[in-house]
Amino acid sequence: MRGALRAPAAGRSNALHAGAWWVWALGLATAASRTTNPLLLGLLVGVAGYVVAARRTDAPWARSYGAFVKLGLAVIAIRLVFSVVLGSPIPGTRVLLTLPEVPLPDWARGVRVGGRVTAEQMVFALYDGAKLATLLICLGAANALANPARLLKSLPGALYEAGVAVVVAMTFAPNMVADVLRLRTARRLRGRPTGGVKAVLQIGLPVLEGALERSVAVAASMDARGYGRTAQVPPAVRRTTTALTLGGLLGVCAGSYGLLAAEGSGYGLPVLLGGFAAALGGLWLGGRRQVRTRYRPDRWGPRAWLVAGSGVVVAALMIRAGAYQPGALHPGVVPLTVPALPLWPAAAVLVGLLPAFVAPVPPKESTS
């Protein structure tokens, strides 16, 4: 009985649906957008990092999580620099330093460059930058866990062309990083320098050649498989497909903004559901133009429901907490107070750890 409760080893037949990882990550990102509490944001980053460490494979695209973490830290640093240089509307009394203020014309009233830098405005900028950094890190977790090739295979037929472009763009940078590491290792084994401008130039040409060869190989394989062939559909169906798809996507954007912004929580969910339904109808009609078939399509099984559901639960509970504990989710900066960790929102975030225990375990790289 105990062995039956353990997550099985990942294989071709039981691999988790790539869309489940994206739903889980978007749920964590939605939760991050509802709070500026640095403790809750740090907990979200910890949950995402633990799941990535537990269920990441050895594929090149799975190494992108660290890049997103560095990007998040850069976002925080940039936000702090902007707050120092351009000031902030947050009133404060604890002056850290005073910079020379640049006089601006009357038409730029309300904007200042330099001046007083207070502790309150720096803490506000830190909270604001940490929220955006957490959003990026949650999306980076989806990039590290979801196989882009399997995600492309699961896309609706109407989005297949756009999906190919997105997948190629998403995999180009990780593959290029892998090529750079491989070439640096080869040069090190040959006793050649790996640093300096000359070494970078000598490594850059083979990397670009490898990227070009991969692009040509992908284009040749797509042409050999008859990629781009479409079936004939009536003009009325094409117009209906366009109207439903564009209207549905606009509804999804407006509903998502309503859910992410506290002011639109009343209309966000109905508009999102209506737009989602219209977009699905448009995608179903648009898929009639595609004549491709799918070999062994991925199934959305019980474990995929658990993974996706955990992210949805985290987002829903955090949105609910915003209505009852707004002060705990948004600690004040005027006056400065030490943020406290609210218990049940923190417990809601920990629900996001479920994929680390129910998702199939990826095979480990052999060290022999």
Side-chain angles (χ1 to χ4, degrees):
M1 181 64 181
R2 183 179 179 183
L5 295 177
R6 293 179 179 176
R12 190 175 183 85
S13 60
N14 67 343
L16 195 72
H17 198 286
W21 286 121
W22 274 100
V23 174
W24 167 80
L26 289 175
L28 295 186
T30 302
S33 68
R34 309 295 295 190
T35 179
T36 56
N37 190 318
L39 300 179
L40 289 176
L41 294 175
L43 190 59
L44 284 167
V45 172
V47 167
Y50 182 83
V51 174
V52 169
R55 291 298 182 265
R56 182 175 59 180
T57 64
D58 295 323
W61 45 264
R63 304 170 187 172
S64 60
Y65 182 74
F68 278 88
V69 173
K70 296 177 182 177
L71 179 61
L73 295 176
V75 165
I76 295 176
I78 293 173
R79 182 65 179 87
L80 292 173
V81 170
F82 278 3
S83 179
V84 171
V85 176
L86 301 179
S88 174
I90 301 299
T93 57
R94 304 186 180 184
V95 180
L96 298 179
L97 69 156
T98 302
L99 298 177
E101 188 169 352
V102 178
L104 298 176
D106 293 338
W107 56 264
R109 185 173 300 173
V111 179
R112 68 179 178 88
V113 179
R116 295 193 314 162
V117 179
T118 64
E120 289 84 354
Q121 79 177 61
M122 294 300 293
V123 172
F124 176 80
L126 177 64
Y127 290 174
D128 197 38
K131 180 170 72 171
L132 180 56
T134 306
L135 283 168
L136 293 174
I137 291 173
C138 291
L139 296 180
N143 279 278
L145 293 170
N147 189 330
R150 301 182 78 93
L151 183 63
L152 175 63
K153 187 171 67 172
S154 303
L155 283 178
L159 296 179
Y160 195 67
E161 289 88 349
V164 170
V166 172
V167 168
V168 171
M170 289 171 56
T171 55
F172 176 77
N175 286 327
M176 186 174 65
V177 172
D179 288 345
V180 171
L181 294 177
R182 177 175 55 82
L183 290 172
R184 286 172 61 93
T185 303
R187 289 179 62 87
R188 190 179 299 110
L189 292 175
R190 293 185 177 95
R192 297 179 180 178
T194 58
V197 177
K198 184 177 180 181
V200 171
L201 294 176
Q202 292 176 350
I203 292 175
L205 184 59
V207 168
L208 294 177
E209 289 179 353
L212 180 60
E213 290 177 359
R214 276 198 306 272
S215 301
V216 172
V218 170
S221 64
M222 292 170 65
D223 182 69
R225 290 170 173 82
Y227 178 80
R229 298 176 183 174
T230 57
Q232 295 295 329
V233 295
V237 175
R238 292 201 300 268
R239 288 192 289 268
T240 304
T241 300
T242 303
L244 286 175
T245 304
L246 292 179
L249 292 178
L250 289 175
V252 169
C253 292
S256 300
Y257 175 79
L259 288 178
L260 295 177
E263 295 81 2
S265 57
Y267 71 85
L269 185 59
V271 173
L272 177 63
L273 294 178
F276 189 69
L280 285 181
L283 294 178
W284 178 76
L285 289 176
R288 297 173 59 183
R289 297 179 62 248
Q290 295 292 333
V291 294
R292 69 185 180 95
T293 58
R294 296 182 183 180
Y295 174 68
R296 299 175 67 176
D298 291 340
R299 304 296 181 185
W300 194 285
R303 296 184 184 274
W305 282 111
L306 289 174
V307 170
S310 64
V312 173
V313 168
V314 172
L317 292 179
M318 191 65 71
I319 293 174
R320 188 68 175 173
Y324 290 95
Q325 291 182 295
L329 298 187
H330 300 279
V333 295
V334 181
L336 283 176
T337 57
V338 178
L341 181 64
L343 294 181
W344 76 268
V349 172
L350 293 178
V351 176
L353 288 173
L354 185 62
F357 304 98
V358 301
V361 182
K364 300 297 183 182
E365 186 178 9
S366 177
T367 57
S368 59

